[in-house]
Amino acid sequence: MSISEITLAEAHEKLAKKEISSVELTKACLEKIKKANSDLNAFVSVNEESALEQAKEADEKISDGRAGVLTGVVCGLKDVFCEKGVETTACSNILKGFKPPYDATSVAKLREAGVVFVGHTNTDEFTMGASTENSAFGVTKNLWDKKRVAGGSSGGSAVAVSANMCTFAMGTDTGGSIRQPASFCGCTGLKVTYGRVSRSGVMPMASSLDTIGPLAKTCEDAAHILEIIAGRDKEDSTTPEVKAGDYVKNLNKDLKGMTIGVPKEYFIEGIGDEVEKAVRTGVKEFEKMGVRVKEISLPHTKYAVPVYYIIAPSEISANMSRYDGVRFGPAAEKADSLQDFYMKNRSHGFGDEVKRRIMIGTYALSSGYYDAYYLKAQKVRTLIKQDFEKAFKEVDLILAPTSPTTAFDIGENSEDPLKMYLSDIFTVASSLAGLCGVSVPCGFDKNKLPVGLQIIGPQFGEAKILNAGHQYQCATRWHIEKS
Ligand code: GLN
């Protein structure tokens, strides 16, 4: 077994006892990347030299007794996290060559904690997608079956973690982009409450929905990472003064006496039989732990996808307007007018999905249509949020499938955006409500493709969902199965 396979918690123990060094761990990850990345395309850039330097520094910190739990472990960053001096492109041609002059807040916090950054991971362009097929760097392949997608948009991060190319990776989740690829690749993906982790320095997609979180090997690892990155940041006014919880201390709490809701709207036509079976078996596992399970109803669930696909593109159309070739990335060398200059930069720089969403969003926000689309969608969003508020009066947590299917074939949905959008059907509602959720592996289908179980919690309920996920991972072995 390569040491790159160990969890963050195990790595910390071994590093602290000097059984391994950070340089050794980093080399083991680099070795995996060298072996597998040309095939899987999880990383779009790798910084070997700088990673080894950071690892050396981490080893010094450990020797001097200045180390924390994350010191010396290896991290991949989704290519939307600004890393000072390192090309960060959101996997878009429009940002080719862009080197941010600063670290995103979450990156700075992880750096301060002694994390080793090994490279940037693949994503759908500006995180728009559910399969990593919309990347300017080409698709990421699923490690369980290379004909299939890794999910998206954090597909690169999910494969990087599951294929042991790094100890953990950072992702973003606007409508499912951490949870769905974690489910497709068999790792643990944490979507935090809106505002729990600073978005500063992370390229935005839809600002009222975007969240930052880890893809990790276990819930225990995710808890350690969250303790470092959570909290108020003056650079992001949507991070409230809500104290970051004792996520790690909480992990071992007994679940006995807890009530968990299973929403009937999440077991609908279109969900794969084997997905349903694995998720239902997961629910039974919680019952064995002394949890009371109750069927609940979230009646506005059916509106979540249409509402999301009005609100997200509207905010996308506003956020994408900053990319015009003037401030960031390459610019057209010749242009006849300012208009022509913008046209050239944006039509060459953006891919089809980004353009599609800019058009939908601009239309939905335009005068005369705003009330009919954006405003209406916001109103229905409130109803969706109220469904959850009502449910959380009766239950502590909600269990559901993460995605209706396991990983689909590369190319299977890429020509049909509506079909692709349906792969978010179980993740967008909780995103619209600003809740937290974690996807944990809960079984396989007959093709040995991983299935994800989603544990949804109330706002700022991260300690609860990680506790539940950890207890589940102590009782089951799905998260340690190998491809
Ligand atoms: N798949 C969803 C979309 O395409 C979610 C993306 C995300 O969470 N960044 O919008």
Side-chain angles (χ1 to χ4, degrees), residues 188 217-220 440-441 468-476 479:
T188 298
K217 294 181 184 180
T218 61
C219 285
E220 182 186 11
V440 292
H470 177 67
Q471 292 303 312
Y472 179 74
Q473 289 180 331
C474 288
T476 58
H479 60 292

Side-chain angles (χ1 to χ4, degrees), residues 15-285:
L15 286 162
K17 287 193 199 142
K18 306 258 169 66
E19 285 170 21
I20 59 167
S21 69
S22 174
V23 168
E24 280 164 359
L25 181 61
T26 306
K27 280 188 177 159
C29 290
L30 286 164
E31 201 52 47
K32 281 271 170 189
I33 296 174
K34 264 186 210 146
K35 249 205 209 139
N37 199 52
S38 57
D39 217 10
L40 297 172
N41 201 24
F43 277 91
V44 295
S45 64
V46 180
N47 304 314
E48 180 165 351
E49 214 176 292
S50 125
L52 289 170
E53 261 168 44
Q54 296 170 59
K56 237 196 235 155
E57 273 173 40
D59 282 332
E60 281 161 23
K61 264 192 171 177
I62 294 167
S63 291
D64 302 350
R66 289 180 290 129
V69 180
L70 266 59
T71 310
V73 303
V74 182
C75 170
L77 288 173
K78 185 174 180 176
D79 198 35
V80 287
F81 284 78
C82 285
E83 185 183 0
K84 189 175 176 184
V86 176
E87 186 176 2
T88 308
T89 69
C91 294
S92 175
N93 286 324
I94 210 157
L95 282 179
K96 232 183 190 155
F98 172 63
K99 291 189 177 162
Y102 59 85
D103 278 337
T105 299
S106 48
V107 173
K109 284 184 171 180
L110 292 170
R111 196 187 293 286
E112 177 66 31
V115 164
V116 174
F117 297 111
V118 74
H120 285 202
T121 58
N122 204 1
T123 164
D124 287 294
E125 185 176 6
F126 286 104
T127 81
M128 297 174 208
S131 64
T132 324
E133 286 167 294
N134 302 327
S135 162
F137 292 94
V139 67
T140 294
K141 293 182 187 153
N142 194 306
L143 69 157
W144 296 85
D145 177 352
K146 289 173 197 145
K147 288 190 312 299
R148 298 187 187 251
V149 301
S153 62
S154 309
S157 287
V159 171
V161 173
S162 291
N164 301 306
M165 295 169 166
C166 48
T167 323
F168 75 99
M170 293 301 293
T172 62
D173 191 315
T174 303
S177 274
I178 289 177
R179 290 162 288 167
Q180 186 255 26
S183 146
F184 280 15
C185 295
C187 62
T188 298
L190 173 66
K191 181 243 181 262
V192 299
T193 304
Y194 182 74
R196 178 68 296 178
V197 176
S198 169
R199 290 175 293 120
S200 177
V202 179
M203 291 163 186
M205 172 178 152
S207 301
S208 76
L209 293 156
D210 292 343
T211 60
I212 311 299
L215 292 100
K217 294 181 184 180
T218 61
C219 285
E220 182 186 11
D221 287 4
H224 281 295
I225 299 155
L226 186 61
E227 286 204 353
I228 299 295
I229 59 176
R232 166 87 187 132
D233 176 19
K234 66 177 187 346
E235 304 296 332
D236 176 356
S237 60
T238 59
T239 53
E241 291 289 358
V242 176
K243 197 179 155 287
D246 286 323
Y247 304 115
V248 178
K249 225 169 89 187
N250 245 292
L251 290 172
N252 289 316
K253 260 189 159 165
D254 200 337
L255 303 185
K256 225 171 253 145
M258 223 182 217
T259 308
I260 285 187
V262 178
K264 62 169 192 263
E265 291 80 2
Y266 283 61
F267 294 89
I268 40 149
E269 221 189 288
I271 176 175
D273 293 347
E274 291 161 294
V275 170
E276 172 157 5
K277 200 169 144 221
V279 171
R280 296 237 186 243
T281 310
V283 173
K284 287 216 182 82
E285 199 60 55

